[in-house]
Each structure stands twice: as C-alpha cells, then as structure tokens.
Amino acid sequence: MWLSEKRAHRLAERAQPYVDAPLLGAAAFGWPVTWDSPRHPVHRPELAGGLPRTVLLALSQRRLHLLETDPGRFTPDRSRRIVGLLGSWERVTTPVRVERATGEAPLVTLALANRPLAQLHGLHGATREFLDLLCSGAPAWEGDAPLSRRRG
C-alpha cells in the first residue's frame, strides 16, 4: 500500500502546475477493457467518451481536473508524462460512479458537462482512499453505464 500512496503523491505533484488550487490527490486511468478475447483484454476506446488512451484524474477541494498523459513517455518513477489539461469541472455537479470488483482494476464512469459519458479503468494511484475521495461530494448517479458490472 505504501508504494501506491507514494506514486499517487508523485502524480499529484506532477499535476499541480496545471491546476490553480492545491490538489488532494491524483490517479492514472485508461481506456476501459473487456475480456472479449480468451487470452487478453480488449481496449474499448468507444466507451471512453472521446478521451485519450491515458489520463490523470486530479482532485482539488472543489474541482475535478482531467489531464492528458502520454502513454509512451515515462518518467524515471515509471509514471506517465503529462501533456496538458483537458478540463476542470465542479465536483458537486459532476456525477461519478466507481465500481470495484475483487482482483480487477476499478471502473470509473464520469458524466462530465459538455462531454459524452466516459468510462475509465484505474491504473496507477487509484487507491481506495482516492476512489472514496472521488465519490465524496459528487451527486448521486442517475442511470446505467455501458460496462456496468451489476447483474440485472
């Protein structure tokens, strides 16, 4: 757990110059995957709402910030380099749903204003504490999402 916290702290430090408020945390996310193939997961960019392959979600006290990262460029600590800020949204008006299954990366669904519904799988720094912080203060989720793990 200590390594995850240290990585999350470094991600927040790296994202801070792009954001005008102190960050509470940050975590890397990528395109959602499904196990359509028996051997390996299949990336589903069509479910990511037009977002790049890898992004960083960063949280300040009042806003959710979305930053693009370069999946091919790593820093010495093996985290991705930040390309730029994609946008910021008020946390109290941005519905978020987090689904956690044992042994799987968390699946986050975001309903960002003026953007299509986006689903992302957690990568580095998506600790339980960060996911709880992401959900706190967000409005209740309305509706269903394409990759929902819930059984109907």
Side-chain angles (χ1 to χ4, degrees):
M1 187 62 137
W2 181 80
L3 184 59
S4 296
E5 291 172 2
K6 187 174 180 179
R7 181 167 291 177
H9 181 69
R10 285 185 181 160
L11 288 174
E13 285 179 346
R14 193 159 291 125
Q16 188 62 66
Y18 296 89
V19 179
D20 59 356
L23 291 176
L24 304 175
F29 290 85
W31 283 343
V33 296
T34 55
W35 289 91
D36 294 337
S37 166
R39 293 194 180 143
H40 55 81
V42 176
H43 288 279
R44 301 287 304 276
E46 70 275 10
L47 298 178
L51 293 178
R53 184 174 180 184
T54 58
V55 295
L56 192 68
L57 284 179
L59 299 172
S60 61
Q61 189 69 32
R62 296 177 40 197
R63 298 186 71 78
L64 165 73
H65 310 279
L66 188 63
L67 298 104
E68 181 179 0
T69 60
D70 185 349
R73 303 279 316 266
F74 286 96
T75 60
D77 66 351
R78 303 296 295 160
S79 60
R80 292 172 170 84
R81 292 189 191 272
I82 295 174
V83 175
L85 182 69
L86 294 172
S88 295
W89 294 267
E90 289 290 328
R91 290 177 62 190
V92 296
T93 60
T94 306
V96 174
R97 184 169 80 185
V98 175
E99 297 179 65
R100 301 172 227 190
T102 306
E104 292 182 33
L107 179 66
V108 173
T109 306
L110 301 169
L112 303 170
N114 302 321
R115 290 196 66 99
L117 189 70
Q119 288 192 299
L120 302 165
H121 265 121
L123 300 173
H124 305 297
T127 61
R128 178 176 297 141
E129 293 80 13
F130 177 82
L131 296 172
D132 290 342
L133 185 61
L134 180 63
C135 291
S136 70
W141 181 265
E142 300 284 334
D144 204 10
L147 275 183
S148 177
R149 292 185 176 124
R150 291 187 296 171
R151 304 289 182 233

